[in-house]
């Protein structure tokens, strides 16, 4: 008797999601300038019965990570800490792409980061959908 073919981690995840009746998972990607549009897309996808994951916050906007506004200046992160956070958030977002069944690109602009996310998703065989199909050719 030969050993059954080993499943890849991706195949194991897909089987587990099917076994657990996990709904279709969509990860939202795009420039953080479109956070309001991402929230609208989240609502539409959720109402359609999909699980949605998206960026947690916009690094360019106030995010309230400091517990005391009076300490905001003293707690201001160094450039090294900001860069380390960006790296961690990028890794987290790639994990969201790996978890998802599909990628939804929000917005009418595709920057370098979003282009890299699209390339990563496609390298994993994930379908990529656009809220603005006219920008698909830019990816």
């Amino acid at each position: 008797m030969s050993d059954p073919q080993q499943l890849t981690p991706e195949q194991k995840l897909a089987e587990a999601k099917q076994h657990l009746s996990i709904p279709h998972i969509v990860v939202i990607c795009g420039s953080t300038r479109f956070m309001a549009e991402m929230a609208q897309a989240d609502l539409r996808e959720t109402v359609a019965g999909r699980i949605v994951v998206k960026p947690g916050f916009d690094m360019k906007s106030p995010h309230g990570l400091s517990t005391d506004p009076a300490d905001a200046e003293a707690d201001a992160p160094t450039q090294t800490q900001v860069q380390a956070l960006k790296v961690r958030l990028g890794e987290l977002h790639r994990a969201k792409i790996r978890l998802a069944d599909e990628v939804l690109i929000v917005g009418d602009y595709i920057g370098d980061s979003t282009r890299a996310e699209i390339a990563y998703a496609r390298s994993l065989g994930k379908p990529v959908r656009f809220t603005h199909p006219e920008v698909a050719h830019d990816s």
Side-chain angles (χ1 to χ4, degrees):
M1 245 197 210
S2 62
D3 289 332
Q5 183 178 353
Q6 293 285 16
L7 296 178
T8 66
E10 293 82 7
Q11 291 169 323
K12 289 178 184 177
L13 178 60
E15 281 191 5
K17 289 191 305 189
Q18 183 177 8
H19 178 71
L20 296 170
S21 300
I22 302 290
H24 191 79
I25 300 173
V26 176
V27 61
I28 294 177
C29 297
S31 171
T32 55
R33 71 174 77 170
F34 300 116
M35 291 299 279
E37 286 184 40
M38 289 181 187
Q40 292 171 354
D42 184 348
L43 175 62
R44 286 190 305 273
E45 295 296 315
T46 299
V47 167
R50 299 177 186 105
I51 294 174
V52 178
V53 291
K54 62 183 179 18
F57 66 95
D58 173 5
M59 290 276 297
K60 298 174 190 122
S61 299
H63 43 71
L65 292 178
S66 175
T67 55
D68 183 354
D71 293 337
E73 191 65 33
D75 289 343
T78 66
Q79 189 64 24
T80 302
Q81 290 169 323
V82 168
Q83 189 59 34
L85 179 58
K86 285 182 182 181
V87 168
R88 285 195 321 270
L89 292 175
E91 291 169 355
L92 180 62
H93 201 65
R94 282 186 295 281
K96 292 174 183 179
I97 292 170
R98 289 191 303 276
L99 174 68
D101 300 303
E102 176 185 24
V103 175
L104 175 60
I105 306 299
V106 173
D108 60 1
Y109 164 79
I110 305 290
D112 292 339
S113 295
T114 303
R115 195 175 332 282
E117 292 167 346
I118 293 168
Y120 183 65
R122 287 180 172 156
S123 77
L124 299 172
K126 305 285 180 173
V128 178
R129 186 164 44 105
F130 296 81
T131 59
H132 292 75
E134 67 275 10
V135 299
H137 71 280
D138 293 338
S139 60

